[in-house]
Amino acid sequence: MACTKRTLAFLLMLAFVGVSLGAVHKVGDSTGWTSLGNIDYLKWASTKNFHVGDSLLFQYNPQFHNVMQVTHDDFQSCNGTSAIASYTSGSDSVTLKRPGHFYFLCGVPGHCQAGQKVDVLVKSSSKAPIASPSPSTLGSSPANPPSEMLGAPGPAQSSALSLIFSKNSLAWSLVAVGGVFSFAFYF
């Protein structure tokens, strides 16, 4: 009986941890988010597989760059003035919450035209998406909160919210696993 409880506890742990973690993709890999060099962000995105629950990590110098999530039309015309969400911390994480295209560009004049933009195609995941806490719960939000627009990408999380939630998912998974194992060994 104790062996059965331990097996059940282990299977629950695997299921819980597997559902709570998505891949983190650093945009531009080691180069990061920049207009310098010969980084082709469209080529970078074409070599990756993005799934619901994954996160994009934009790392850049906030004195010279930013990240704007925009519509397809604004992406095509390099227009960041009516962004769905804007990020300015220099280390921003955006969770991909639904399948479809997500469009990002640098809103600094000339940077998007120089190629600092990325189109990310997100595929459905076999895993259930993670429910996100509201920004008011954790006290962080994008510089320009996302709006509900027809045909536009869904809301994105701020860097702090995504990073906190990702780290807390792992932490809570481990706490839950510890509790399950304690319960299994107690009986």
Side-chain angles (χ1 to χ4, degrees):
M1 175 113 178
C3 185
T4 303
K5 288 181 182 179
R6 287 184 197 142
T7 302
L8 177 62
F10 181 71
L11 292 175
L12 286 172
M13 174 201 64
L14 288 177
F16 188 72
V17 171
V19 168
S20 15
L21 302 176
V24 176
H25 303 276
K26 182 179 176 187
V27 178
D29 293 325
S30 62
T31 305
W33 185 242
T34 183
S35 58
L36 302 175
N38 281 337
I39 183 75
D40 182 342
Y41 292 104
L42 299 178
K43 184 177 180 181
W44 172 85
S46 72
T47 66
K48 309 291 183 200
N49 290 312
F50 303 101
H51 298 280
V52 173
D54 289 357
S55 297
L56 299 177
L57 177 60
F58 291 89
Q59 290 189 322
Y60 56 94
N61 184 334
Q63 292 178 337
F64 303 107
H65 305 287
N66 58 38
V67 178
M68 304 289 170
Q69 182 178 354
V70 296
T71 64
H72 178 260
D73 289 343
D74 286 343
F75 179 80
Q76 293 296 332
S77 62
C78 284
N79 178 10
T81 59
S82 57
I84 295 165
S86 61
Y87 303 91
T88 59
S89 77
S91 183
D92 301 310
S93 179
V94 179
T95 301
L96 305 170
K97 296 182 179 179
R98 60 167 181 77
H101 286 271
F102 287 79
Y103 303 98
F104 300 93
L105 56 83
C106 181
V108 174
H111 290 199
C112 177
Q113 292 83 349
Q116 194 175 1
K117 63 182 189 175
V118 65
D119 171 3
V120 174
L121 177 58
V122 179
K123 299 175 184 172
S124 295
S125 177
S126 59
K127 298 186 250 184
I130 303 167
S132 301
S134 68
S136 61
T137 305
L138 296 175
S140 178
S141 62
N144 178 19
S147 60
E148 294 294 328
M149 299 170 52
L150 292 176
Q157 295 177 339
S158 73
S159 59
L161 178 61
S162 295
L163 290 174
I164 289 169
F165 192 66
S166 295
K167 290 178 182 174
N168 282 344
S169 293
L170 178 58
W172 284 114
S173 297
L174 294 175
V175 168
V177 168
V180 170
F181 276 116
S182 296
F183 180 78
F185 287 118
Y186 180 74
F187 289 99

